[in-house]
Amino acid sequence: RLCCMNKYNKQLTVAVCCLIFCCLCLFVAVLFGVNELLKEQTLDGDVVSQSCWVPKGRDYCAPQFIIAGAMKCGTTSLWAYLINHPDILPLKKVQIDPRNLRTVLAEKEVRFFNDGAYKQLSKEYGFDKAINYYLDLFHPIPPRPDCPEHPENFGKITGEATPMYISGRGVAKRVYDALPQVKIIVMLRNPIDRAYSDYWFRKNLKIKADQIGRFDVSGYTHSEIFQQCMEIEMELFEKCKYNEFRDDPTLDSYDAFLQCHKRTSKTIMNADEASDVCTKSDLAPLCIPDAIRGNCQNKGLEVGMYFGQVFEWLSIFPRDQILFIQSEEFYSNTVEVMQRVSEFLNVSPDFEWDDVVSTTFNIVNPTSAAGLKQNLFTNNTQAKNSLQIGASNSTSEYPPLDPVVRSKLNNMMSKYNNALAKILKDEKFRWK
């Protein structure tokens, strides 16, 4: 009996010692934060801290955030504001690969995960090399303070802003496969206002100082032209069964919609009024009058059909890795939103955003009539695309959308916006 008791006491002592050791380990981890004891292993790298994930085979932290969209929703201003923060580093260079096949637009839009660059660079160099070229665009951020190189960057973060990522099918999966810990920021604007802004943005890129009125059409106001473009695209949504996808969403049904939209939109955008498409086919109701067809875009409204895009990204990324910002709130309460972004990115909350948010930033063509009116925030001549970031004290200049037209189009979009608000569980995305 004594032997049994001694054996029991020894087992109890070992158990108590193990419990004490575990408690000590937990205490050390909580006390010091970044600790090898709690370093999480992932398939392709190590989570070293809340703000640092080191990809396999690399020595430095991967980019910690991506502004993924949407276009014409304030992403350029958000980016310009963020890189003023002392904890946030901009991109290091604009040349993505050694053969200069791809370059960064306006020192912020890498576009690496979009179809064109991703497929081209992966084919040219192989996936692993292509990803490493992407990671080389960012300043080296050491994962620990005792790293001998670039100690001045320890504790900082970096990222990029490519606003067309959100609307690119398959981009979310590519981003997650390469950067599973990255934080995603998505800005969403009233789809009609976004589309109207984009309508003028693409025209203003082309209009030179001596070409004012270049896109005017006799007998039409631009509000009337824009209305026809939007109404036809909404009919296209119906034809391509977006409602069926919205009511019972799957990635397969989203693919079917996107393929239908791409195929059909291309057909009607290239069809004149006298063509067989517009006179003999079932697509005739979707045809755009010749006089205004050049003013319409084949994805003018589809980019603002956020429900499908958000559905895809949330099917791949954990919800707490994505911050959704309503653009209108960003415009009206900029400092408050920037503080929220600071918290999301885990950077110092003490930065005075008031000092930097008084300026508005947009992508501009420096040689266009609109671009000549703005001060250039970037002026990098190494990139293939000449577009830059322009800075001004006002938003883009274009005639306002007729309020009656805007109201009608907003009502037509309400069912799609309602679906978005439901999936995000946030009523402000109904835009009522």
Side-chain angles (χ1 to χ4, degrees), residues 79-88 351 353 355-356 361 377:
W79 167 259
Y81 299 157
L82 282 175
I83 60 175
N84 276 278
H85 194 292
D87 293 346
I88 300 177
F351 184 69
W353 291 109
D355 298 336
V356 299
F361 297 90
F377 181 69

Side-chain angles (χ1 to χ4, degrees), residues 310-383:
V310 169
F311 173 78
E312 178 184 357
W313 282 76
L314 289 180
S315 71
I316 293 171
F317 276 88
R319 178 64 178 84
D320 61 1
Q321 273 183 241
I322 306 181
L323 175 65
F324 292 96
I325 299 171
Q326 189 205 51
S327 298
E328 291 79 4
E329 185 180 7
F330 174 72
Y331 300 147
S332 60
N333 299 304
T334 311
V335 171
E336 181 182 323
V337 172
M338 293 308 299
Q339 290 170 342
R340 197 187 316 157
V341 174
S342 298
E343 182 179 352
F344 177 68
L345 296 179
N346 198 35
V347 295
S348 172
D350 299 328
F351 184 69
E352 293 293 334
W353 291 109
D354 300 85
D355 298 336
V356 299
V357 300
S358 60
T359 302
T360 299
F361 297 90
N362 290 288
I363 296 295
V364 299
N365 176 357
T367 64
S368 70
L372 290 171
K373 297 179 182 179
Q374 300 203 24
N375 298 316
L376 293 185
F377 181 69
T378 62
N379 193 19
N380 195 303
T381 58
Q382 297 177 347

Side-chain angles (χ1 to χ4, degrees), residues 2-60:
L2 185 60
C3 284
C4 290
M5 288 298 294
N6 287 337
K7 183 177 180 181
Y8 173 78
N9 287 337
K10 289 180 181 179
Q11 291 175 340
L12 182 61
T13 300
V14 170
V16 170
C17 289
C18 289
L19 180 61
I20 293 172
F21 177 75
C22 290
C23 290
L24 286 173
C25 289
L26 182 60
F27 173 78
V28 170
V30 171
L31 181 64
F32 293 104
V34 179
N35 194 285
E36 288 296 319
L37 292 171
L38 288 184
K39 186 167 68 173
E40 179 184 350
Q41 297 294 317
T42 68
L43 182 63
D44 299 308
D46 297 326
V47 176
V48 180
S49 73
Q50 185 178 359
S51 298
C52 179
W53 177 75
V54 180
K56 184 178 180 180
R58 305 279 300 189
D59 296 323
Y60 300 107

Side-chain angles (χ1 to χ4, degrees), residues 66-69 108-111 114 160-166:
I66 291 176
I67 301 172
K108 76 177 185 79
E109 294 186 18
V110 180
R111 304 186 177 188
N114 288 130
E160 60 138 318
T162 301
M164 58 285 301
Y165 279 164
I166 184 70

Side-chain angles (χ1 to χ4, degrees), residues 11-251:
Q11 291 175 340
L12 182 61
T13 300
V14 170
V16 170
C17 289
C18 289
L19 180 61
I20 293 172
F21 177 75
C22 290
C23 290
L24 286 173
C25 289
L26 182 60
F27 173 78
V28 170
V30 171
L31 181 64
F32 293 104
V34 179
N35 194 285
E36 288 296 319
L37 292 171
L38 288 184
K39 186 167 68 173
E40 179 184 350
Q41 297 294 317
T42 68
L43 182 63
D44 299 308
D46 297 326
V47 176
V48 180
S49 73
Q50 185 178 359
S51 298
C52 179
W53 177 75
V54 180
K56 184 178 180 180
R58 305 279 300 189
D59 296 323
Y60 300 107
C61 306
Q64 292 90 340
F65 72 91
I66 291 176
I67 301 172
M71 292 180 284
K72 307 311 299 175
C73 291
T75 57
T76 302
S77 287
L78 175 62
W79 167 259
Y81 299 157
L82 282 175
I83 60 175
N84 276 278
H85 194 292
D87 293 346
I88 300 177
L89 297 173
L91 293 172
K92 182 174 68 173
K93 58 181 181 176
V94 299
Q95 182 176 327
I96 297 178
D97 64 290
R99 296 175 195 166
N100 206 30
L101 299 177
R102 294 280 171 167
T103 57
V104 177
L105 186 146
E107 299 182 21
K108 76 177 185 79
E109 294 186 18
V110 180
R111 304 186 177 188
F112 175 82
F113 296 103
N114 288 130
D115 272 354
Y118 190 84
K119 291 178 179 178
Q120 181 186 26
L121 296 176
S122 296
K123 180 179 180 181
E124 188 71 24
Y125 300 107
F127 175 77
D128 291 340
K129 278 189 176 181
I131 288 293
N132 276 298
Y133 291 146
Y134 171 79
L135 295 173
D136 287 342
L137 291 170
F138 304 92
H139 286 279
I141 297 176
R144 295 177 180 81
D146 57 352
C147 291
E149 297 183 3
H150 309 286
E152 71 282 0
N153 290 343
F154 173 73
K156 297 185 177 181
I157 67 170
T158 187
E160 60 138 318
T162 301
M164 58 285 301
Y165 279 164
I166 184 70
S167 59
R169 179 69 177 97
V171 170
K173 180 69 164 59
R174 292 170 186 165
V175 172
Y176 186 80
D177 286 347
L179 305 168
Q181 300 296 320
V182 74
K183 293 184 177 181
I184 305 297
I185 300 174
V186 176
M187 304 183 76
L188 302 176
R189 181 181 183 182
N190 177 305
I192 298 303
D193 295 338
R194 192 222 69 83
Y196 190 63
S197 176
D198 198 35
Y199 172 91
W200 277 107
F201 166 70
R202 297 182 186 280
K203 291 171 176 51
N204 285 335
L205 291 179
K206 301 174 184 177
I207 298 174
K208 304 296 184 181
D210 60 349
Q211 297 177 321
I212 304 301
R214 172 181 171 184
F215 291 97
D216 292 351
V217 179
S218 178
Y220 293 89
T221 67
H222 278 285
S223 287
E224 291 169 340
I225 295 172
F226 177 76
Q227 179 180 0
Q228 288 200 45
C229 297
M230 294 297 99
E231 289 178 349
I232 287 172
E233 195 166 358
M234 286 189 204
E235 290 183 36
L236 179 55
F237 296 153
E238 299 283 346
K239 178 174 179 57
C240 290
K241 301 179 180 180
Y242 191 89
N243 290 333
E244 292 184 15
F245 158 69
R246 181 199 64 201
D247 294 339
D248 185 19
T250 66
L251 291 179

